[in-house]
Amino acid sequence: MFRTLDDRVSVFGQITPDDVAAAKAQGFTAIVNNRPDNEQPGQPAGAEIEAAARAHGLDYVAIPVDHSGFGDAQVAAMAEALDGADGPLLAFCRSGTRSTFLWALARARAGADGDELIARAAAAGYDIGAIRAAL
C-alpha cells in the first residue's frame, strides 16, 4: 500500500485514521502530514490523523505544503523530521507527490545524489524530474 522511497521513508496519498493502524503494523514510527487542512472536501483533518498516530504510539509532524510550492522552512522541517525519526517514517499528502518532493529536497540538502533520488522516486512511481536543478 505505502510506496517506499528508501530504507527509512515511505510515502502515500491521503491516509485516514484507520490507515494509521496499518502503518504501525508495518513498523512505521512516525507520520509526516504534508497536506494542509481543508484542501479538498471530505479529507480527514490533520488533528484526526495526529490523534490516531498518538493513540498508536507514533510520532506526528505537520509540514503542510499548499499548491504555491515549497519554501526553505518546509525543506528544513522535513530534514529535521527525517533525521529525528526513531525508525521508518510515513509521509503523506493528496497523492504522495509533494511528500516525495520534500523528501528529495531534504535528502539533497544532506548531500544525497540528485540522480539517485530521482531514480528512487521513479521506482516508487513519482516523477520528480521537475526539481532536478534543486537537487
Side-chain angles (χ1 to χ4, degrees), residues 26-122:
Q26 291 183 34
F28 291 100
T29 62
I31 293 178
V32 174
N33 180 354
N34 296 130
R35 191 167 193 200
D37 278 342
N38 301 314
E39 184 176 56
Q40 185 175 14
Q43 83 183 66
E48 292 176 66
I49 305 295
E50 180 178 12
R54 304 267 184 227
H56 284 88
L58 301 175
D59 290 332
Y60 175 89
V61 179
I63 309 169
V65 176
D66 63 23
H67 292 291
S68 65
F70 313 99
D72 285 335
Q74 291 154 318
V75 174
M78 186 64 152
E80 185 177 324
L82 296 173
D83 292 343
D86 289 332
L89 176 146
L90 174 64
F92 77 91
C93 58
R94 187 185 62 76
S95 68
T97 302
R98 283 174 277 182
S99 295
T100 302
F101 281 171
L102 269 182
W103 161 81
L105 291 166
R107 290 293 192 225
R109 185 176 278 192
D113 179 72
D115 289 334
E116 175 68 19
L117 295 169
I118 290 169
R120 286 182 173 271

